[in-house]
Amino acid sequence: MGLVPWRGSARLKPGTLRADLPLARITAHGAAILIIIAIGTLIVPLDTSVNIAFPAITERFGLGRTGIQWVVICYVLTYGSLMLGIGRLGDIFGYLRVFRLGLAWSILAFILCATAENYAWLLATRVMQGIGAALVIGCGPALATTHFSEALRPRILGFYAFGFAAGGGLGPLIGGVLVEHFGWSAVYWYRAPLAAFALLLSIFLRAPARAATRESFDLAGAALITGMMCCLLLGINRAPDVAAGNPLALGLAFGFLVLGWWYGRHAARISRPVIALRYFRDADFLFACIATALVNFACFAVLLFMPYLLLHGAALPAGWGGLVLAIGHLAAMAASPFAGFLLARISAARLALIGSVMTAGGLWLIGSIGAAGGAIPLLVAALALQGVGLGLFQVSVTDLLLERMPREDRGVAGSLSQVSRTLGVVTAASLLSTVFAALEAGGVARGLMPMEAFRAAFGTIFSFGAALVGLQVLVGFLIQRRAYR
């Protein structure tokens, strides 16, 4: 039974939206629950509005194109390193409580980001914003799915992903208009009242009942995981410096291995660690985490380099550039509910492969069209193909991860999906920026004009991304073939 529009005919009182009734029994209330969660979650994917502001931010603070990566990294490094621990906090103390805390924290973070007077201030407040994002999305999928019966889980995930993709798609469009008329800081200002509105609406939700005996929080395990993720993500960012003789990346890699070994010993000694390592012995589970990182690594090139192609290469105004950049996210938004429908008919692993094939094809076309200076309508079609594939992929891998873990670990399962995405994004922001700059400089050294060198580097980067996703498809196909023998 599908969701029907929330008509709001009945007057709601605070705490009256029951969290333990299935959607099939109270359709209007179920829709209201999802709408409230979606409005709160929107503040995170709407961060894509910052991407269309990259040129304005680099100009305002006097940065090179590689310098903008820290605006991304400070944000995603923070929420990526915290999400697993926050997912466990939600499992113990309640997803709704953590979700509300994230909304309140984000209001302050957005105001401070918008009022940044210098680059260091902006980076510090992006760290604050990352904490708020971790609190909101670390429990988002769990908060959505635990309100409904398990039979409805794929469909609910589809609608949750629909809302997430809607934010990603609206972000560049809203950001482009705001930057054009009000400047770069507007991409932060407008989300503060949205977070406040969602926090106000959340009073109508009632959290699911928890066990009478509350389990203890694995603080030591959460600290080890946070340290591991910081070492991993920051080490990836510093990896290009190894060639220049800077050993920091090697030291961070060593720290990651030591903390990982320490966490493995710690998790084996306690009954309820942040995440039990036995889950990673499941080939589908492990591959879903790796594939999520790879696909998001390749797809982040769209948000990283497309704004410069549209605003500088095609000379589009920021508003129109934001609209084109939003196409992929809007396509993913359209595909997400359909993915929930398909998951009732085919396996999550198979649907993930179908989505990956479409994503690889879209990335290859984007690179080919962009490198050749093709028409904007062709780029729009390629972005739409990539977006549909990504929408199918994200819903299916999230469902696979939630299916493989027990309901009481739903917060960690949802967080793990987000952490895998984050790993791909941070790697892309770090490595792709460096590789792109080297390719562009090489093109100029060969006598190409600056925009010609940019287009050549653009085509190479997207071809590489398409090949990487294609390789992931091949490995996934071989794993599935072995499973069905």
Side-chain angles (χ1 to χ4, degrees):
M1 184 174 184
L3 289 173
V4 299
W6 181 26
R7 290 180 290 272
S9 55
R11 193 169 188 176
L12 298 176
K13 298 179 180 179
T16 57
L17 285 185
R18 292 290 305 278
D20 55 345
L21 292 178
L23 181 62
R25 291 177 58 188
I26 49 169
T27 306
H29 280 190
I33 289 170
L34 286 180
I35 289 170
I36 293 172
I37 294 171
I39 292 172
T41 303
L42 271 178
I43 64 170
V44 179
L46 280 173
D47 203 67
T48 54
S49 59
V50 177
N51 292 75
I52 200 65
F54 279 174
I57 292 173
T58 53
E59 181 179 351
R60 166 64 178 81
F61 295 106
L63 308 174
R65 191 179 299 128
T66 55
I68 198 67
Q69 66 178 299
W70 285 101
V71 175
V72 177
I73 290 166
C74 285
Y75 175 60
V76 297
L77 176 67
T78 302
Y79 76 68
S81 61
L82 292 175
M83 269 194 295
L84 284 174
I86 286 174
R88 175 58 70 203
L89 279 175
D91 290 332
I92 297 173
F93 296 102
Y95 308 125
L96 183 57
R97 182 177 297 176
V98 174
F99 187 73
R100 285 170 174 164
L101 176 61
L103 292 173
W105 181 279
S106 294
I107 294 170
L108 177 61
F110 290 138
I111 293 172
L112 292 176
C113 282
T115 55
E117 293 292 335
N118 54 60
Y119 187 48
W121 182 348
L122 178 62
L123 296 184
T125 54
R126 285 287 278 179
V127 170
M128 284 192 62
Q129 188 191 341
I131 296 172
L135 291 166
V136 170
I137 63 175
C139 293
L143 182 62
T145 57
T146 53
H147 281 69
F148 307 99
S149 65
E150 281 296 282
L152 289 170
R153 187 190 66 242
R155 190 176 300 176
I156 299 307
L157 283 176
F159 281 101
Y160 180 83
F162 174 88
F164 208 90
L170 291 172
L173 179 59
I174 295 172
V177 174
L178 291 176
V179 170
E180 190 172 347
H181 294 284
F182 302 104
W184 68 270
S185 62
V187 300
Y188 297 107
W189 276 122
Y190 82 98
R191 283 181 284 169
L194 179 62
F197 180 56
L199 184 61
L200 178 64
L201 288 178
S202 72
I203 66 173
F204 295 108
L205 298 179
R206 186 192 302 178
R210 297 192 302 273
T213 303
R214 178 183 291 172
E215 65 178 89
S216 60
F217 176 64
D218 178 17
L219 181 60
L224 288 171
I225 286 179
T226 300
M228 284 171 55
M229 293 304 300
C230 284
C231 286
L232 177 62
L233 297 174
L234 193 56
I236 290 170
N237 173 256
R238 294 293 87 193
D241 294 344
V242 173
N246 188 337
L248 178 59
L250 297 177
L252 290 167
F254 180 73
F256 169 75
L257 293 175
V258 170
L259 291 172
W261 171 81
W262 193 353
Y263 178 77
R265 288 179 60 91
H266 169 79
R269 291 198 303 264
I270 64 175
S271 58
R272 293 286 289 165
V274 172
I275 182 169
L277 299 181
R278 67 178 181 275
Y279 295 120
F280 294 98
R281 298 177 194 143
D282 181 335
D284 278 345
F285 184 92
L286 178 60
F287 183 72
C289 295
I290 296 173
T292 300
L294 290 176
V295 170
N296 282 276
F297 170 87
C299 289
F300 192 70
V302 175
L303 291 176
L304 201 57
F305 304 119
M306 187 66 76
Y308 295 96
L309 179 72
L310 296 173
L311 273 59
H312 294 167
L316 291 178
W320 283 105
L323 177 60
V324 175
L325 191 61
I327 294 299
H329 291 280
L330 295 175
M333 177 185 72
S336 295
F338 186 57
F341 173 80
L342 288 176
L343 284 172
R345 290 154 179 80
I346 62 176
S347 70
R350 185 166 295 178
L351 183 59
L353 290 184
I354 294 172
S356 296
V357 170
M358 297 177 69
T359 301
L363 289 172
W364 182 81
L365 287 172
I366 291 169
S368 300
I369 295 166
I376 294 297
L378 295 177
L379 268 178
V380 167
L383 284 165
L385 176 63
Q386 177 261 333
V388 169
L390 186 61
L392 297 177
F393 175 84
Q394 300 282 35
V395 174
S396 55
V397 294
T398 302
D399 183 64
L400 192 151
L401 291 174
L402 265 64
E403 180 186 28
R404 294 297 199 278
M405 295 182 73
R407 194 176 177 93
E408 62 270 19
D409 289 340
R410 193 60 46 92
V412 172
S415 294
L416 189 59
S417 173
Q418 298 289 349
V419 168
S420 299
R421 292 187 195 184
T422 302
L423 180 59
V425 168
V426 170
T427 306
S430 304
L431 300 186
L432 289 185
S433 295
T434 302
V435 173
F436 192 97
L439 291 170
E440 192 175 13
V444 172
R446 294 194 306 271
L448 296 178
M449 296 296 291
M451 184 46 63
E452 292 175 337
F454 176 89
R455 289 187 182 279
F458 186 91
T460 301
I461 287 291
F462 277 86
S463 295
F464 171 74
L468 190 64
V469 176
L471 178 62
Q472 176 260 120
V473 170
L474 177 61
V475 174
F477 174 77
L478 293 176
I479 290 175
Q480 284 199 41
R481 187 177 180 185
R482 185 184 66 180
Y484 282 104
R485 280 180 178 174

